[in-house]
Amino acid sequence: MSRLLQEPIARHACLAPLATAIVDGGRRVTYRELEEASNRLARTLQDSGCSRGDRICFAIPKSADAIITILAILKADCAYTPLDTSSPASRVAHIVRSSDPRLVIGTPATLAFVEQVLTEAGSPDVRIGLVGDRRASAAGSIAFAGVDLRERPAEPIVSLNAPSDPAYIFFTSGSTGTPKGVVISHSNVWHFVRWANRYFDLGPNDRVSGYTPLHFDLSVYDVFGTLTAGAEFHLVPPEAGLAPAKLAEFIRAARLTQWFSVPSLLTYLAKADAIRPNDFPSLKRLLWCGEVLPTPVLRHWMTRLPHVTFTNLYGPTEATIASSYYTVLACPADEQSPIPIGVSCEGEELLVLDEHRRPVPPGTIGDLYIAGVGLSTGYWRDPEKTKAAFVDRPGGDDRIYKTGDLARVGDDGLAYFLGRNDSQIKSRGYRIELGEIETALNALTALKESAVVAVQSDGFEGATICCAYVPAGATDVTPIYLRQALGKTLPSYMMPTKWLAYDLLPKNANGKVDRPLLREHFRQRDARADRTA
Ligand code: AMP
């Protein structure tokens, strides 16, 4: 049976009120404090006019306050959308306009950003709430819009929501130039969390990492996997995320039992040689999701940490956190062996189909579709995109989601990921539609033509974003100029890092930009640079 996500957390607050729920630097929040603070904030949200079905955006750095806010939004029967404060205000404004929230919550530090976003969104009437008033949070509570929440009743709130109601809307890169919102319900999350917590045997004695930013869906398992299990949630300080030695020290000092992140971070730590033999003696499980973990990197980790279990999780945001899993049984014998994405999680199904949506024979490459309990109802207020991606199962009465991934099922019955059949890429763990970058380039009058291609690198970043361009007229267009111009609309992780100027972009026989040739040009230039280095 599905539940509302806040319910099991409330139960832990009754059973073990003094157990630690969140560790955020020097601040420890118990289950009782989490429960009471989120009840108080939820009441205040309701008093501010938020009710069932409303969306609430927030721009709060990852912190105990942010987690309390998420829980309060759910208790107020609303859906949450975290805003990335490192993205340009114009991109975030699009997200806010599209989400059409009742309220945007900020902190004193992000208030100016929120105001700028609302101005750019043309939504000056949307109300702004503030959390994180230090006078109150020093006492383990939070203030909201000047109201000291300690004065609000802390009793539980009766929810009107059903498990099928939205819990969050996360925005991912869109191929037509603007981010699209994926609507995920309580029940979608609950099914994954319940399966995963049983499979990983997560319980109150666990100490779990909180590394992923809250606007990515890996964070949903961090937050709700940990808190519905009654475990301790350890927020990784942002500065540790960028310094391998500090991050390793954090895992040691917090005695984490479970780590979950994108593979590029694991590659980064391995390349920096930050892990000692038999390091992290408390660590039991290491999970990754979001992109391919290179086999040499997995071997590096498995050799250093023989006491840890390693699990590959696979799945798109549209099917909630992950849809399949594979626990690596033994260290791969050679560096070339691919790591399977495995078999579907409970209640989910992976289907490998041909272009007529018929199952392909085992061993044959096909398009990967997902069915089952994780499937989103679709893209927020975008029936067209929803219809294109969530299609009827041939001969069945349910929907299947077209991932855009290519896969095959091996003789071992396990699914293998074989790349994409479109121009979506992963770079440093970020999901990026190259079309979104091209749309931003097309808006620049300084360019006559441009195209963006991705070239696989062997560094930790995965794909390198490369831009080929033709300046308009005789103007002196440099990569520095282009980077500055694009920086007004694109987040830094979408910024091309390689540039080539052309008089005319190469075209194929159909008159389309010859992208394979462009990729070849970037590779050749890199090879030349390596030779002269
Ligand atoms: P996101 O919505 O950001 O989770 O991105 C989903 C996409 O990431 C999938 O469609 C795949 O292309 C890729 N992906 C997710 N997990 C894995 C994995 N374990 N191995 C390879 N690719 C993955």
Side-chain angles (χ1 to χ4, degrees):
M1 198 193 69
S2 284
R3 319 269 301 261
L4 295 174
L5 293 170
Q6 62 268 29
E7 289 170 1
I9 305 174
R11 204 163 50 87
H12 285 294
C14 277
L15 292 174
L18 299 181
T20 300
I22 305 168
V23 180
D24 172 14
R27 183 177 173 195
R28 267 181 189 266
V29 178
T30 65
Y31 272 88
R32 176 190 284 157
E33 286 164 347
L34 172 65
E35 189 58 13
E36 293 186 352
S38 56
N39 286 345
R40 291 180 162 126
L41 181 54
R43 282 214 161 75
T44 314
L45 295 176
Q46 288 177 329
D47 292 348
S48 321
C50 299
S51 60
R52 185 177 182 202
D54 282 339
R55 279 81 47 213
I56 300 181
C57 299
F58 68 81
I60 307 176
K62 194 165 64 176
S63 58
D65 284 355
I67 311 301
I68 291 168
T69 303
I70 289 177
L71 212 51
I73 292 173
L74 298 185
K75 288 178 175 185
D77 290 326
C78 301
Y80 75 92
T81 294
L83 303 176
D84 174 14
T85 51
S86 65
S87 270
S90 63
R91 188 169 192 269
V92 178
H94 170 83
I95 291 172
V96 168
R97 218 177 11 249
S98 166
S99 142
D100 187 14
R102 174 75 58 190
L103 191 74
V104 178
I105 305 179
T107 66
T110 65
L111 179 60
F113 177 78
V114 169
E115 286 173 339
Q116 190 191 349
V117 164
L118 288 179
T119 309
E120 294 211 18
S123 322
D125 299 336
V126 173
R127 296 191 54 199
I128 302 177
L130 273 188
V131 298
D133 183 317
R134 288 295 128 196
R135 282 165 307 162
S137 63
S141 176
I142 56 180
F144 181 85
V147 179
D148 184 340
L149 294 181
R150 283 169 297 190
E151 290 158 14
R152 309 283 301 139
E155 288 76 46
I157 293 175
V158 179
S159 185
L160 301 175
N161 257 352
S164 56
D165 281 318
Y168 59 82
I169 303 178
F170 280 7
F171 283 77
T172 71
S173 179
S175 57
T176 50
T178 45
K180 52 187 193 246
V182 182
V183 183
I184 297 294
S185 69
H186 284 255
S187 140
N188 290 146
V189 179
W190 172 249
H191 278 110
F192 177 80
V193 162
R194 190 183 52 170
W195 167 80
N197 282 3
R198 280 189 195 153
Y199 180 75
F200 295 118
D201 195 22
L202 201 69
N205 292 328
D206 275 296
R207 292 174 295 280
V208 181
S209 64
Y211 171 76
T212 304
L214 294 171
H215 53 281
F216 293 118
D217 87 333
L218 265 59
S219 74
V220 176
Y221 183 51
D222 294 341
V223 174
F224 293 102
T226 310
L227 298 177
T228 60
E232 282 183 15
F233 187 34
H234 288 252
L235 301 178
V236 179
E239 66 278 8
L242 300 171
K246 271 197 186 148
L247 190 50
E249 190 43 44
F250 176 83
I251 300 172
R252 266 173 230 131
R255 296 182 300 121
L256 294 185
T257 59
Q258 180 167 302
W259 178 269
F260 184 28
S261 72
V262 286
S264 45
L265 194 265
L266 303 178
T267 307
Y268 185 51
L269 287 178
K271 292 220 157 156
D273 205 10
I275 317 133
R276 306 172 191 151
N278 300 309
D279 218 342
F280 317 139
S282 304
L283 194 67
K284 294 188 219 156
R285 296 170 294 267
L286 191 147
L287 335 175
W288 69 92
C289 184
E291 56 190 334
V292 174
L293 175 65
T295 306
V297 177
L298 175 64
R299 279 165 43 100
H300 178 97
W301 279 86
M302 288 189 83
T303 319
R304 287 216 174 18
L305 306 181
H307 57 287
V308 173
T309 303
F310 292 81
T311 301
N312 181 14
L313 290 163
Y314 158 86
T317 306
E318 285 84 342
T320 317
I321 311 169
S323 304
S324 78
Y325 68 104
Y326 175 74
T327 294
V328 186
L329 302 174
C331 189
D334 72 87
E335 311 242 304
Q336 313 313 328
S337 333
I339 303 156
I341 54 171
V343 294
S344 54
C345 306
E346 191 180 276
E348 318 227 19
E349 200 184 336
L350 299 188
L351 302 99
V352 183
L353 307 180
D354 66 14
E355 69 270 33
H356 305 293
R357 299 204 186 113
R358 287 178 311 218
V360 300
T364 310
I365 301 177
D367 291 313
L368 184 56
Y369 289 75
I370 298 174
V373 291
L375 244 55
S376 152
T377 45
Y379 299 111
W380 173 246
R381 292 186 180 166
D382 198 334
E384 227 168 88
K385 280 205 182 87
T386 302
K387 222 170 107 197
F390 296 84
V391 297
D392 292 334
R393 186 201 292 258
D397 56 5
D398 62 342
R399 296 173 317 139
I400 53 179
Y401 170 67
K402 184 168 189 193
T403 62
D405 293 327
L406 296 168
R408 71 176 169 83
V409 176
D411 294 337
D412 46 14
L414 302 170
Y416 289 79
F417 172 84
L418 299 167
R420 297 282 308 172
N421 64 0
D422 61 11
S423 58
Q424 179 182 302
I425 62 153
K426 282 289 172 106
S427 177
R428 286 185 287 144
Y430 292 100
R431 169 170 161 178
I432 300 167
E433 291 284 358
L434 296 181
E436 183 168 349
I437 307 174
E438 289 192 344
T439 306
L441 280 162
N442 288 340
L444 303 181
T445 48
L447 294 184
K448 194 155 120 205
E449 260 190 304
S450 58
V452 177
V453 291
V455 175
Q456 209 52 36
S457 82
D458 54 6
F460 76 92
E461 67 272 26
T464 303
I465 304 170
C466 307
C467 172
Y469 63 94
V470 179
T475 40
D476 189 18
V477 178
T478 61
I480 295 177
Y481 167 84
L482 291 172
R483 235 179 264 131
Q484 267 171 0
L486 287 179
K488 297 191 178 109
T489 48
L490 293 182
S492 56
Y493 61 83
M494 285 197 193
M495 196 59 74
T497 49
K498 305 252 158 111
W499 307 82
L500 270 180
Y502 287 79
D503 293 330
L504 198 67
L505 292 186
K507 309 280 174 2
N508 61 22
N510 299 329
K512 289 190 175 166
V513 174
D514 191 340
R515 289 167 196 275
L517 185 61
L518 287 182
R519 278 194 284 274
E520 195 45 41
H521 287 173
F522 279 101
R523 274 193 219 105
Q524 282 168 1
R525 193 188 60 174
D526 279 357
R528 273 200 304 277
D530 283 349
R531 276 200 299 277
T532 51

